Amino acid sequence: MVFFKSGNQNKRWQHERTQMVEQQLKARGIEDKAVLAAMETIPRELFVPHEYRDSAYKDGPLPISEGQTISQPYMVALMTQCLQLLGHEKVLEIGTGSGYQMAVLLAVTPHVYSIERLPSLAQYAVDNLRSLGYENLHIKVGDGSCGWLEEQPFDGIIVTAGATDVPSVLKEQLSDGGRLVIPVGPRYSQNLLRVTRRSDEFITEDFTACVFVPLIGKYGWKEDY
């Protein structure tokens, strides 16, 4: 169970969340009820550095630390909606960041695993999530481009960093019918793809142009990109 504080400040944030859902999400075609409910409930302001809290619900990404970002609210919603979750699926997130995307996923399905390359960010995410009452978190530090072999298969994989192409190792960790959502393309311009596994075949759909920080790892960009 997750508990949220009450008071005038919380009312202000709730108002901003409601506006975000109406103006940024529903207006752009986000219609998954579970995703909308999650994003109207989860306090995004607690997942950004204090100096950026007044901009927590603005229509764009925000810096966190280590040169990383928390994604634009619309992109978080779109990527989650693309997974087409019903509430029982096992999901792998690559790129934990501040933990906000994981919180949204956990509001939809309890079976979420997340990999973060940077130890300081992994701890930041754990602290943020635990402060809101989330427990039994499956977060590890490692190379997300390799997936999480010991926990495969996954019904959904969401990659919150841009890849040069779709890593085959991630496709192989999908269950039959599973979906991989990933930005793919050059460093400063990607396209958000959904790859659906049908037995040994993989069907790719292109949703929108986007820009993410690079996926660094064995099957992504190198450290000195």
Side-chain angles (χ1 to χ4, degrees):
M1 178 64 70
V2 180
F3 299 94
F4 302 114
K5 296 180 180 179
S6 60
N8 292 332
Q9 184 71 357
N10 191 58
K11 290 179 180 178
R12 172 221 167 159
W13 295 126
Q14 184 59 62
H15 175 70
E16 293 200 18
R17 278 195 291 279
T18 299
Q19 282 193 315
M20 173 193 71
V21 167
E22 294 296 327
Q23 299 173 8
Q24 298 179 38
L25 307 186
K26 289 183 178 180
R28 291 177 180 164
I30 302 300
E31 54 188 19
D32 186 304
K33 292 182 179 179
V35 174
L36 293 171
M39 297 193 67
E40 192 164 3
T41 304
I42 295 167
R44 181 178 165 90
E45 72 275 8
L46 300 185
F47 290 87
V48 301
H50 192 271
E51 61 266 32
Y52 295 111
R53 285 191 175 177
D54 284 344
S55 300
Y57 295 97
K58 296 297 177 60
D59 186 18
L62 291 171
I64 41 177
S65 64
E66 303 275 8
Q68 305 302 299
T69 60
I70 178 173
S71 296
Q72 172 192 24
Y74 169 70
M75 193 57 62
V76 172
L78 177 61
M79 293 180 78
T80 309
Q81 179 171 275
C82 283
L83 290 177
Q84 298 178 313
L85 302 175
L86 299 177
H88 61 274
E89 295 88 351
K90 186 176 183 179
V91 175
L92 173 63
E93 176 195 33
I94 295 172
T96 318
S98 67
Y100 179 69
Q101 174 72 78
M102 187 174 187
V104 172
L105 290 168
L106 283 167
V108 182
T109 177
H111 312 295
V112 181
Y113 294 73
S114 189
I115 306 175
E116 173 55 53
R117 181 176 63 91
L118 301 166
S120 63
L121 275 185
Q123 188 59 55
Y124 180 48
V126 168
D127 293 343
N128 288 336
L129 290 161
R130 284 183 175 165
S131 73
L132 293 175
Y134 293 98
E135 298 179 356
N136 302 317
L137 297 169
H138 301 289
I139 297 176
K140 78 168 184 175
V141 176
D143 182 352
S145 74
C146 297
W148 197 328
L149 189 62
E150 298 82 3
E151 292 295 340
Q152 67 167 324
F154 296 97
D155 304 306
I157 300 177
I158 185 169
V159 183
T160 63
T164 54
D165 52 25
V166 182
S168 59
V169 66
L170 297 184
K171 294 195 294 184
E172 291 166 3
Q173 292 181 29
L174 286 173
S175 62
D176 190 9
R179 291 165 287 277
L180 164 64
V181 178
I182 181 172
V184 173
R187 172 65 181 87
Y188 297 105
S189 176
Q190 300 104 40
N191 285 80
L192 186 66
L193 307 181
R194 178 171 67 195
V195 180
T196 302
R197 182 170 194 169
R198 301 294 183 195
S199 188
D200 292 329
E201 295 184 15
F202 296 90
I203 301 166
T204 301
E205 301 166 88
D206 187 337
F207 280 83
T208 187
C210 57
V211 180
F212 279 77
V213 297
L215 174 68
I216 295 176
K218 182 177 180 180
Y219 299 102
W221 296 87
K222 305 308 177 187
E223 287 276 7
D224 58 353
Y225 69 93

